[in-house]
Every structure is written in C-alpha cells, then in structure tokens.
C-alpha cells in the first residue's frame, strides 16, 4: 500500500513522444484510471511505474522510494493485463501460486495466501479446476488472484476487462470496485473505455497525445472539463460543439444566440471566437423546458434521425429556419445538434420542432487553444444595454 508519484516523466521512442512531461501524484488507497484514445500513451505511462520501461526523463516514486531504475520485481507491484495468459496445463491453485512457488515460499504461507486471494475473488471450491473448465470472467478472477497473492503495495491493471464480453465487463467492474474497497490498496488502471473509467475510479487522468489533459474525480471531468478534448472524450454520446463569436450580449452562432454578459468572464472580449459545448441531455424541446425556456433563445430545428435507446431517445437535429423536409441531410453537418428526450416523447422523424438550451449547462471553450473559459452562463446576467458593461468588454 503506497503512494505513486510521477515527476516529469517523459518517454520518447525515436521521434515518437509517447509520454510528455507526465506529473501524477496518486494517494495511498486511491483508484486512479488513465484513460484516453488508443496510442495516447497510457500503457507507456503505466510501464514506467511497473518498470517494464525506463523513462527518457523524469522520476517515478512508489511509497517513499524512487524506483525509476529498479527492476519490476523490486517495486512492490503486481500487474494484471488484458491478455490473461493462464497456464493451460495447471489447475487454478497452481496458476495462482506459480509466482510464489518460483520464489520458494513455504507451503503453509502459499496455502494461506492462495486461500485468502481465492476467497476475495470468490473462487473458493474451484482451486482444482483447469482453465478450460472456466468462463472468461472466472479466468480473469484467477489472474487477479495471482496478482493478489503477491500482496503488492500497488496494483497495476492494463485493460484487464478488454477481452471480456460487454455483460461480463459490467459485472467485473463492480467486482473490481468491491476488491478495491476490501483491500484498501492503490490501484492504477488503464482503459480506453471512458465509461469504465467513470464508473470505477476515485479520479481519472485523461491523456491525449502523451500529455495529461485533466486529473480529477469523474464527475468533475464530466461537469467541468478542462478543455475541448476532455469535454469531447468524457460522456456518451459526446457533447455537442458549436462555434460562435462573442458579441455585446453573448455568443452568436450561425443559428442562435446564447445570452450572457461577456464582460463577466475574465479574458473574454467582443470578437473572440469561442466554442460552445452542450450535452445532449441539456437540450430540450421548448414545451418540456419549463423555466429553462425563460431567457433562452428558441432554436428552430428539424428532427432528422431518431435513435430509441429504451430509457431515452436520441434525436439528431438539424438547425436553422431554412431547414425543412425538402432539404437533404448532406451539407448540413455544421448545423447539427444531438438532443436526448424521454422515451414517451411524441417527436417523430422529419418533425419541425423548437428546442432550447439549458444555459446553466453551457460550457464555453477558447476555440483556438481549446481551454475551458467557463461552465454555465445563466448566472452571467446580461445587462448589455447598460453603458458600464459595454466599457468592460473593451479590455
Ligand atoms: P496506449 O496505451 O494509450 O494505447 P501506448 O503507450 O501503447 O498508447 O503508445 C503511445 C505511443 O508510443 C504510440 O504512438 C505507440 O506507437 C508508441 N510506442 C509504444 N511503445 C513503443 C515501442 N516499444 N517502440 C516504439 N514506439 C512505441
């Protein structure tokens, strides 16, 4: 059980910058997930902690020790990988205890650890089974038990659920959370699956192109994404992005206005280009919007495609007054907006409807740098007609 710290860790493979100046400070007992698209540097980051890779620059600490140049076996870690790789000719007991037997542990100690690990992952009574007599989930639990018997300070898990089917992945997620609670141990977990990251972790580290974009509790990344990358990556389906230009009383996009007083946002002035982000659940049909409709622009839209999901319906909207059923979908891509509505919604494909955007949930990003400017604009009341606020927007 230990803290893990990465201090300016950089890894280059020739011209490829796999990890760029990564700083992570993981508390003892935390469940931290590295998440990002394939090739973003998650595994390489993990490998600098496991010792399978040495960083080109920077230092790695586990507990109070610097381990940057220590071999994996001296780091107090145990690893679980995507590829479970059990020995097919060994039963569960022998698979779990293999590493301990290699290290010449006493028989009683091996028995004690195997029994304890098997009970944690609920494999008691299966110790004499062969791998081919077990389901994928059971085999993955054997792999976890094999890591548990090492009694490591830190667990490193690289996509351990990726080879399991969708239903089993969800069950195993819960099991991993239970395991974490029971062991009170530090877990560093890698996945490209944002849903997995959101549901299990104390904090998630979102990585893109080898660089840390944000490290925060899952809901903070969801509600206050640090930049356009995090906003687009976290949340499914993805956040809508619409570009606009700052005017005296808000943001003007091609088809609608979002009202707020730009003078109340530091560093923002008239003429700036901002990208508005709004999640599908924060776009509402006007008749359903209630108070939200107050002070918000009504947006004319055409329901292009509907996707019923059971608990909600995704409505792909095309925007603009000119949009009508005679207009073919091609060419309208810059004017799309995805809305989520209740399953009992009467909206049908090709309906012309009016929608509003919940201004408390509008995220604004600097279009060029991608950095977040503000989350929620409803509290930034517009007083654009007063001379004072006009003067403020000039700086
Ligand atoms: P992820 O785990 O997020 O999919 P990786 O850490 O595996 O990403 O890879 C990050 C980048 O480093 C990728 O561009 C990958 O091609 C490159 N890379 C990883 N390992 C090596 C290696 N051993 N040699 C050369 N390039 C590598």
């Amino acid at each position: 059980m230990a803290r893990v710290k990465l201090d300016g860790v950089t890894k280059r493979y020739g011209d490829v910058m796999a990890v760029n100046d990564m700083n992570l400070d993981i508390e003892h007992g935390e469940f931290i997930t590295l998440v990002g698209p394939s090739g973003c540097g998650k595994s390489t980051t993990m490998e600098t902690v496991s010792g399978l890779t040495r960083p080109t620059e920077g230092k790695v600490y586990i507990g109070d020790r610097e381990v940057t140049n220590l071999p994996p076996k001296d780091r107090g870690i145990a690893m679980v990988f995507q590829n479970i790789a059990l020995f097919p000719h060994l039963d569960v007991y022998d698979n779990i205890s293999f590493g301990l037997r290699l290290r010449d542990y006493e028989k009683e100690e091996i028995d004690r650890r195997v029994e304890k690990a098997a009970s944690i992952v609920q494999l008691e009574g299966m110790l004499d089974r062969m791998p081919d007599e077990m389901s994928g989930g059971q085999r993955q639990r054997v792999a976890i038990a094999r890591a548990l018997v090492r009694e490591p300070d830190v667990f490193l898990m690289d996509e351990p659920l990726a080879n399991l089917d969708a239903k089993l992945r969800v069950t195993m997620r819960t099991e991993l959370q239970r395991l974490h609670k029971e062991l009170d141990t530090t877990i560093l977990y890698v996945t490209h699956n944002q849903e997995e990251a959101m549901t299990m972790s104390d904090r998630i580290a979102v990585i893109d192109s080898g660089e840390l974009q944000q490290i925060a509790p899952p809901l903070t990344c969801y509600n206050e994404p640090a930049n356009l990358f995090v906003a687009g990556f976290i949340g499914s389906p993805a956040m809508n992005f619409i570009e606009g230009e700052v005017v005296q009383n808000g943001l003007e996009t091609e088809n609608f206005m979002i009202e707020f007083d730009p003078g109340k946002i530091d560093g923002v002035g008239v003429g700036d280009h901002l990208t508005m982000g709004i999640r599908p659940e924060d776009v509402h049909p006007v008749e359903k919007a209630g108070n939200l409709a107050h002070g918000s622009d009504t947006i004319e839209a055409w329901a292009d495609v509907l996707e019923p999901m059971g608990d909600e319906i995704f409505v792909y909207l095309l925007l603009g007054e000119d949009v009508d059923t005679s207009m073919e979908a091609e060419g309208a891509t810059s004017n799309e907006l995805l809305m989520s509505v209740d399953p009992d919604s009467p909206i049908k494909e090709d309906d012309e409807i009016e929608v509003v955007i919940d201004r408390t949930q509008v995220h604004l990003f600097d279009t060029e740098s991608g950095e977040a400017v503000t989350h929620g604009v409803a509290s930034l009341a517009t007083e654009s007609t007063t001379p004072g606020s006009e003067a403020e927007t000039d700086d």
Side-chain angles (χ1 to χ4, degrees), residues 13 16-19 36-45 47 158 190:
Y13 291 106
V16 177
M17 182 71 102
V19 177
S38 188
C40 74
K42 305 177 294 291
S43 295
T44 306
T45 304
E47 285 165 11
D158 194 343
V190 162

Side-chain angles (χ1 to χ4, degrees), residues 131-178:
D132 64 2
E133 297 168 333
M134 311 186 88
S135 69
Q138 287 167 335
R139 283 202 291 270
Q140 188 55 277
R141 280 191 262 156
V142 176
I144 293 168
R146 189 170 56 183
L148 281 172
V149 291
R150 309 267 319 270
E151 300 190 344
D153 295 328
V154 180
F155 267 106
L156 304 177
M157 303 191 178
D158 194 343
E159 302 262 13
L161 309 184
N163 284 348
L164 304 180
D165 67 51
K167 188 155 172 260
L168 195 53
R169 267 207 306 271
V170 174
T171 317
M172 287 300 293
R173 265 190 226 159
T174 321
E175 291 200 12
L176 285 178
Q177 286 180 80
R178 198 175 292 133

Side-chain angles (χ1 to χ4, degrees), residues 90 99 106 110 127 132 143 157 161 177 217 225 233 246 273 338 340 346 356 373 393:
L90 297 183
E106 297 285 333
I110 295 178
L127 292 176
D132 64 2
M157 303 191 178
L161 309 184
Q177 286 180 80
F233 191 78
V246 178
H273 290 270
L338 177 59
S340 160
V356 290
V373 170
T393 55

Side-chain angles (χ1 to χ4, degrees), residues 216 246 255 274 332:
V246 178
N255 293 296
L274 297 182

Side-chain angles (χ1 to χ4, degrees), residues 79-101:
M79 296 178 256
V80 182
F81 293 106
Q82 171 176 351
N83 186 354
I84 303 170
L86 301 182
F87 295 108
H89 57 288
L90 297 183
D91 66 13
V92 170
Y93 179 95
D94 285 343
N95 262 293
I96 295 177
S97 60
F98 188 80
L100 299 181
R101 285 186 286 127

